[in-house]
Amino acid sequence: MSGLAMADPELEAVANLFRLLADIDYRGASALYERLARDTADDTELLELLLPAAPGDRLPHLLFAAVQYLLLGDGSDPIAVFGSEPYAAFRSWCLDRRSELERLVRTHVVQTNEVGRCSALLPCLATVAERARRPLALVEVGTSAGLNLLFDRYRYVFGPGLETGRGDSEVVLRPRLHGDRVPPLSVPDVPWRRGLDRQPVDVADDDATRWLRACIWPEQQWRIELFDRAVALARRDPPTLVAGDVFDSLPAMVRSAPSEAALCVVHTAFLGYVPDHPRFAELLSELARERPLWWVSGEGAGLVPQLPAPRIERPAEGIWFLYGIVPLGVPDEPPRALARAGAHGAWLDWLDTEDSSRRAAG
Ligand SMILES: C[S@@+](CC[C@H](N)C(=O)[O-])C[C@H]1O[C@@H](n2cnc3c(N)ncnc32)[C@H](O)[C@@H]1O
């Protein structure tokens, strides 16, 4: 079957992505996706299921998310159904549901809302609040379902005696703390917050949240649990979200923030989807001419070149993001790389050395 895929450059590109992601993304993170991706890479008929998607969206996990979405609708999950079955069972299941899968990949893109990232966001926002000495007004761009706007409704356990947030919250984040520095644990006061996304997800919409849930890899039970619990919590008092492209809609949103608060423009796992990063940085600089703002980001290293390169003291576990703050129009505040964290928030390495009293003993 690989010979046929080789004959068609479009399919060959998709096949290569299956091979690449099996090696760099799924290995060690999803045994099921790794195994299925290796076999699908050589299966022309299955690769063709992704062709209804736009060329840039033909990711292996778009197909896997579509499969998981249908399984969740049947009250099942991919590990239960395919975990111990040969590839042929997955193949024939997909071909039986070909038209549903094609419709899903045509109408959806891989989209997440990763609550685990709050364990890095919280200490970054605490750092801003300490420096600004004022309550915060938050604008999150690329907010998805807005679950991370609700970071102060969650409980955080960084280690023994290192707990913060809402003690009675059903959403509990337990990142592994790397290194010997302890992040600031105060929870900032946030009287105003808004989310902006070109495709915001309404937490009350079962179908839309099922798609977000289907984009999580099936072995990552901790991510699934955080997501389910955060959605349930958000449904009781949903965040305020606006639909729009960041370049069109951010200025009006920023201008509606209360003037007495310290304005923060926040984003995580967002810039990878914005082809023109310099233009985004220019937009923030223009907005900072109207009022000072704190640019708070958690992105792949290098995506925010305004942040100083962190001093790497120990190896990271898998793919990581750099978190930091770039104050714009705020006198005497330099940009600071604050933390490294697992891409989904499984671990946190607090880098900031500004306050040495935070060093944990031993
Ligand atoms: C990978 S998701 C990250 C969601 C969330 N920030 C998180 O960390 O879980 C990226 C989000 O950015 C949104 N997005 C991408 N480009 C955008 C743009 N130009 N304007 C507004 N939102 C955008 C997508 O719709 C998607 O919801």
Side-chain angles (χ1 to χ4, degrees), residues 111-114 117 140 142 144 148 197-199 244-246 268-270 273:
Q111 195 179 11
T112 53
N113 200 179
E114 203 59 58
R117 294 182 182 131
E140 190 192 14
S144 190
N148 294 353
D197 200 291
R198 63 182 175 194
Q199 281 183 288
D245 186 86
V246 68
T268 57
F270 165 70
Y273 300 82

Side-chain angles (χ1 to χ4, degrees), residues 175-259:
R176 292 185 296 284
L177 205 53
H178 288 190
D180 60 359
R181 284 192 196 96
V182 176
L185 297 177
S186 56
V187 179
D189 181 17
V190 183
W192 187 94
R193 65 195 85 196
R194 295 285 182 275
L196 172 64
D197 200 291
R198 63 182 175 194
Q199 281 183 288
V201 173
D202 177 357
V203 288
D205 181 338
D206 283 335
D207 209 47
T209 53
R210 191 194 341 157
W211 177 259
L212 288 188
R213 162 82 165 68
C215 289
I216 304 176
W217 303 350
E219 288 88 347
Q220 297 182 323
Q221 200 51 46
W222 67 278
R223 290 175 63 195
I224 292 170
E225 191 173 310
L226 274 179
F227 177 80
D228 286 345
R229 287 171 179 250
V231 168
L233 184 149
R235 282 181 171 173
R236 297 202 289 273
D237 184 8
T240 305
L241 308 184
V242 170
D245 186 86
V246 68
F247 292 107
D248 302 329
S249 307
L250 184 61
M253 190 172 265
V254 156
R255 287 177 192 129
S256 65
S259 57

Side-chain angles (χ1 to χ4, degrees), residues 53 81 116 118 123 127 195 238:
V81 176
C118 289
T127 304

Side-chain angles (χ1 to χ4, degrees), residues 70-84:
L70 294 179
L71 288 172
L72 288 170
D74 299 341
S76 193
D77 79 74
I79 296 186
V81 176
F82 303 121
S84 46

